[in-house]
Amino acid sequence: MTRALYGPGGFFTRAATGPADHFRTSVHASPLFAGALLRLIQEVDDALGHPDHLDVVDVGAGRGELLTALDALVNGSDLRERVRLVGVELAGRPDGLPKEIGWRADIPDSVTGVLLATEWLDNVPLDLAEVDADGRLRQVLVDPDTGLETLGRDLDAADRFWAARWWPDAGLGDRIEIGWPRDAAWAEAVSSVRRGCALAIDYGHLRSSRPPLGTLTGFRDGRQIEPVPDGSCDVTAHVAIDSAAVAAGTAYRIIGQREALRGLGVDGGRPPLALASTDPAGYLRALSAAGAAAELTDPAGLGGHWWLLHEVGIELRGNI
């Protein structure tokens, strides 16, 4: 999985295409998403007392779509001269990225402001295990060219410890996605925030409702496909959100995207029909925005994301 996603010619490191060519995220769905995150950034800025420099770090930045949208939104605001937008991505700096946006391969050591990770953790590589006929948890091996799976050795102690705590009661044929590498990655990311907040947004599940057969899948050209780890497709699995939350070692909140976006002003309500007669163009704009908001908050789609929010040295007083 590591080689397929991040090795030479891997899915996320090759220059020819970006993630947006293969799957749709909240960032790509509507500028309303960036607008909501800007309101969160402004709340953090208020809580920090409007520092001289406010960091906004996007981990797993793709081709910089979210940062580009935020860069446009801060024009004309007090944040323009103070905000430092930085993308973290193993792929090289995208062509045409605004010069105000920084680009690097690793997370900065010190962040004062907001660290964002939108659909990053689901692409942090992990191992899979399956319960065999004897009740043993065994590693799932995969042929990198064909995707053919076989069962390998028993899990080691670290994997068994994580599974016992965070994915208990697995039965015959059940599959477990061993999430501690995501926990470690998120804990390291959160530790970089000196004051401000860290926010992970991703598909995920909680200990009370782990999927028995796991969630590993692939995406290519907008279609869901078998997750063959040959570098030609995204290979992804949902995140054990509660495990990642605890691993960070700081206070946290787990919020559904629908609730979070509504708290930040994205509600998906239809505009009043009377507006169609008094301001037809305005009505159409409002109707379009309502449709985009509905997509972002649909619990069967993007609205099914979890928001994992850590406040570090501050207390947010907004509606999220």
Side-chain angles (χ1 to χ4, degrees), residues 205-287:
H205 39 68
L206 304 176
R207 188 177 183 274
S208 60
S209 56
R210 302 288 189 223
L213 299 181
T215 61
L216 186 75
T217 191
F219 288 94
R220 184 195 299 128
D221 299 329
R223 295 184 297 109
Q224 188 170 4
I225 62 172
E226 291 296 316
V228 179
D230 60 0
S232 70
C233 67
D234 181 23
V235 179
T236 177
H238 293 190
V239 181
I241 291 290
D242 43 1
S243 175
V246 171
T250 66
Y252 64 87
R253 283 184 279 164
I254 297 175
I255 315 154
Q257 174 154 303
R258 183 181 179 89
E259 175 189 355
L261 287 181
R262 287 186 167 180
L264 292 168
V266 180
D267 63 11
R270 292 174 62 89
L273 189 58
L275 185 63
S277 58
T278 59
D279 183 4
Y283 176 77
L284 291 176
R285 288 193 298 271
L287 194 63

Side-chain angles (χ1 to χ4, degrees), residues 10-77:
F11 181 78
F12 284 111
T13 54
R14 60 178 185 243
T17 62
D21 297 306
H22 299 279
F23 52 83
R24 184 176 175 82
T25 71
S26 297
V27 175
H28 308 128
S30 170
L32 292 174
F33 185 76
L37 289 181
L38 178 61
R39 286 188 281 278
L40 175 63
I41 292 166
Q42 290 169 328
E43 290 183 14
V44 173
D45 185 46
D46 290 342
L48 290 171
H50 310 288
D52 292 340
H53 300 289
L54 183 75
D55 299 315
V56 176
V57 178
D58 184 15
V59 184
R63 295 300 182 264
E65 296 93 340
L66 175 58
L67 292 173
T68 299
L70 290 172
D71 182 64
L73 288 172
V74 299
N75 280 335
S77 74

Side-chain angles (χ1 to χ4, degrees), residues 69-84:
L70 290 172
D71 182 64
L73 288 172
V74 299
N75 280 335
S77 74
D78 174 60
L79 285 173
R80 175 72 281 171
E81 299 303 319
R82 298 187 295 111
V83 73
R84 292 176 171 175

